[in-house]
């Protein structure tokens, strides 16, 4: 008797608790197997090349998250890519799909939605969660209208994954000055985390995908 082949899945998320939650959700399907986990894009690309999973579940809020999608497409073109994130707006969905992703699910969606998305992407189909439509038409404030030129520079560099010390060296200012601009920019954008700044920078076209 021939046993059914497992669907190998790679989980990529910067938060161990979230990775554990995804793993627990996927356990509902005995034919699915988590072959590896990663907390960074660089580690994820290396693991994907080693294990060759059927699909990857990726949070693009990681530094260079969308570049990781491009790297997946370059190195493992037949692997399915499912984006799983807290953020869902029309511009971001469009950018992610252009980068090569096959599916998009919000972390605010029910577990059953994630399971449906994994099933679709594993079968070679594209998937967009119904919740995506609730964000269509969301406006992104123009950077020049709400941020100073220096704040725009800092947001762009933060979104590229640079540290405060590295930004200070690049701009030839003190670390304290960088922290001040970063705090002011986050307040103006109502951003609470670095991931929020990254997503704003992507939507506002401050960084290239």
């Amino acid at each position: 008797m021939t046993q059914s082949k497992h669907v190998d899945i790679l989980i990529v998320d910067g938060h161990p608790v979230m990775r554990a939650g995804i793993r627990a959700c996927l356990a509902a399907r005995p034919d699915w197997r988590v072959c590896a986990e990663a907390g960074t894009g660089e580690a994820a690309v290396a693991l994907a090349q080693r294990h060759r999973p059927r699909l990857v579940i990726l949070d693009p809020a990681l530094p260079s998250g969308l570049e990781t999608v491009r790297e997946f497409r370059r190195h493992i073109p037949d692997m399915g890519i499912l984006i799983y994130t807290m953020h869902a707006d029309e511009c971001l969905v469009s950018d992610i799909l252009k980068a090569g992703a096959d599916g998009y699910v919000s972390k605010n969606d029910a577990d059953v939605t994630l399971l449906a998305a994994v099933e679709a992407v594993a079968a070679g189909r594209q998937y967009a969660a119904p919740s995506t439509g609730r964000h269509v038409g969301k406006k992104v404030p123009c950077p020049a209208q709400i941020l100073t030129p220096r704040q725009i520079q800092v947001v762009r560099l933060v979104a590229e994954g640079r540290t405060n010390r590295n930004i200070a060296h690049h701009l030839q200012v003190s670390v304290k000055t960088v922290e001040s601009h970063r705090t002011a920019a986050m307040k103006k954008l109502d951003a609470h985390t670095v991931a929020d700044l990254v997503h704003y920078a992507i939507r506002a076209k401050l960084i290239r995908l």
Side-chain angles (χ1 to χ4, degrees), residues 28-159:
R29 288 286 300 268
D31 55 328
W32 294 351
R33 178 173 59 193
V34 176
C35 62
E37 298 181 16
T40 67
E42 183 179 2
V45 173
L47 286 170
Q49 290 178 283
R50 181 187 310 165
H51 294 280
R52 297 282 168 172
R54 178 79 63 82
L55 77 150
V56 58
I57 299 174
L58 169 72
D59 184 349
L62 294 169
S64 303
L66 290 182
E67 180 56 31
T68 300
V69 174
R70 290 181 177 273
E71 286 292 302
F72 283 147
R73 275 290 162 256
R74 279 194 286 267
H75 297 291
I76 316 102
D78 58 341
M79 180 180 68
I81 302 174
L82 177 61
I83 296 301
Y84 192 48
T85 179
M86 285 297 297
H87 300 268
D89 63 75
E90 184 182 22
C91 295
L92 182 56
V93 171
S94 176
D95 288 341
I96 287 171
L97 294 178
K98 287 178 182 177
D102 300 295
Y104 188 103
V105 178
S106 169
K107 289 181 179 178
N108 293 317
D109 289 323
D111 287 352
V112 66
T113 303
L114 176 60
L115 295 177
V118 171
E119 185 170 16
V121 173
R125 303 190 303 272
Q126 289 197 327
Y127 186 92
S131 61
T132 302
R134 296 200 296 266
H135 302 272
V136 173
K138 184 177 179 180
K139 300 295 183 182
V140 180
C142 174
Q145 292 179 343
I146 55 178
L147 302 176
T148 67
R150 183 63 90 185
Q151 288 167 358
I152 292 174
Q153 286 181 305
V154 170
V155 169
R156 179 185 293 113
L157 293 170
V158 169

Side-chain angles (χ1 to χ4, degrees), residues 154 164 174-184:
V154 170
N164 286 349
S174 69
V175 173
K176 186 174 182 180
T177 296
V178 171
E179 292 173 347
S180 177
H181 286 308
R182 179 170 171 169
T183 300

